[in-house]
Amino acid sequence: MLRETGKVSLAYYMRVLALQDQFLEDVRATLDARQDSAWPRVIRKRRRDLIMEEMGELSWSRVDLVLCLEALEIDETAPELRELVHRYELDIDRPLERVYALFLKMYKDMPRMMAEQDRSGMLELQMLGIKSMGEMRTINKRHARLVGGALGEADRVRFEKLTRERAFPAVFGNTKVLQLIDAAGGFGDLTAEQEASVRELRAQYQRQLDPANAAWAAAIDERDENYDLEQEMLGSEESVEIVRARKHRYELDEVFTSRLEGLLTPEQRQRLETGHK
């Protein structure tokens, strides 16, 4: 049954890829010579779109620096960036090509390996994937520094913030505490004293949040620098540094959530819990 399910999944996946390939070829047929000369870049982007979101949780391996520039509306074709972006696309595409081939092999072989309990074969495929992710992680970190260094101060700060958030989404996402504080700050019935207290609470939280997040991200980065898949599969415990940093962040969140609730009336707290203003 497992093999048959694998065959159906493979057939579906290959059909989707074939349709996409045909669509792209149809688009290419409409291009003039100048436009066609840029076609390799389209294919490289397609590989990033297909693969990067499917990667594991190894920090930095899923960060597409070109998409970061686009999200910030920074002109990647500017003279100071054009060559850097071109070199990044070429460098990141090499492991992406290998990962794409690996995905196809996994689609073909994984059902059989699972049915036959071929642990060594599965581990080998996973190790190849981890190796490629590690290479992508290194490339992204190196090129993020290069691109950031070519930007003006304001854009560099925005670029570093966004790439850091995408490299460590569990750490740097908009926290529930900030969402609650901002929601409370929007209440129309706050007194002047409450408004001032909520603003100060947000500032205090942000000042303590930044170093707490930096410590958590650094601990994750250290783990990923020396990632050991075999140890992970054996159920190795998380590092002391990650556990400590995450615990500190969660305790910080609890403290400031409690402080926020203490600034509000019972009726306002009820509205905050239900999401009403």
Side-chain angles (χ1 to χ4, degrees), residues 53-269:
E53 284 301 314
E54 299 297 327
M55 301 303 289
E57 294 303 316
L58 209 60
S59 61
W60 283 102
S61 63
R62 300 171 64 179
V63 182
D64 185 339
L65 300 184
V66 181
L67 287 184
C68 289
L69 291 171
E70 292 176 358
L72 296 171
E73 298 184 341
I74 297 173
D75 183 9
E76 67 197 58
T77 65
E80 64 272 19
L81 286 180
R82 186 184 301 115
E83 180 56 33
L84 287 175
V85 170
H86 177 66
R87 175 52 53 191
Y88 167 68
E89 289 184 349
L90 293 177
D91 285 355
I92 200 68
D93 195 56
R94 286 192 288 272
L96 284 172
E97 284 188 288
R98 292 196 295 274
V99 170
Y100 184 63
L102 177 63
F103 274 4
L104 294 181
K105 181 174 177 58
M106 289 181 70
Y107 268 97
K108 293 177 182 177
D109 294 353
M110 191 60 72
R112 175 191 59 78
M113 290 178 179
M114 293 180 67
E116 297 176 2
Q117 296 187 347
D118 182 3
R119 294 180 58 84
S120 63
M122 287 189 286
L123 180 60
E124 181 181 1
L125 288 177
Q126 289 175 296
M127 289 295 290
L128 289 172
I130 290 294
K131 182 178 179 181
S132 295
M133 278 192 289
E135 186 176 351
M136 291 169 64
R137 164 186 155 81
T138 300
I139 291 169
N140 275 328
K141 290 183 71 174
R142 181 175 71 250
H143 281 276
R145 289 193 297 269
L146 293 172
V147 171
L151 300 174
E153 179 65 17
D155 283 341
R156 180 187 62 77
V157 170
R158 294 195 303 137
F159 179 74
E160 289 179 350
K161 180 177 184 294
L162 181 59
T163 54
R164 184 173 63 245
E165 289 172 353
R166 294 190 177 185
F168 303 96
V171 177
F172 291 104
N174 190 18
T175 72
K176 181 67 173 177
V177 180
L178 284 176
Q179 293 175 24
L180 290 173
I181 292 175
D182 290 342
F187 286 173
D189 60 346
L190 293 179
T191 66
E193 182 180 356
Q194 283 180 308
E195 288 181 357
S197 296
V198 170
R199 284 196 301 270
E200 178 58 25
L201 186 72
R202 194 187 200 288
Q204 291 175 0
Y205 176 67
Q206 192 68 63
R207 284 195 296 270
Q208 296 187 45
L209 177 66
D210 290 342
N213 281 347
W216 189 6
I220 294 172
D221 198 44
E222 176 67 22
R223 177 203 64 192
D224 292 348
E225 190 69 26
N226 304 286
Y227 188 85
D228 189 330
L229 176 62
E230 292 187 75
Q231 288 298 316
E232 289 293 320
M233 294 184 69
L234 291 173
S236 63
E237 296 182 356
E238 287 187 300
S239 71
V240 173
E241 291 76 14
I242 289 180
V243 172
R244 182 187 297 122
R246 184 175 57 216
K247 182 174 183 290
H248 175 62
R249 226 304 292 281
Y250 287 174
E251 289 175 347
L252 186 69
D253 290 353
E254 290 176 358
V255 166
F256 276 85
T257 299
S258 178
R259 290 183 185 177
L260 175 63
E261 292 173 348
L263 298 175
L264 305 177
T265 67
E267 191 273 334
Q268 289 169 336
R269 287 198 296 270

Side-chain angles (χ1 to χ4, degrees), residues 10-22:
L10 175 61
Y12 171 78
Y13 186 68
M14 297 303 292
R15 178 58 177 162
V16 169
L17 292 180
L19 289 172
Q20 292 177 352
D21 287 341
Q22 184 58 59

Side-chain angles (χ1 to χ4, degrees), residues 24-25 38-48 93:
L24 289 173
E25 286 303 313
W39 191 252
R41 192 179 185 203
V42 174
I43 299 304
R44 290 195 294 268
K45 174 173 170 45
R46 183 193 180 216
R47 270 193 284 268
R48 295 198 305 275
D93 195 56

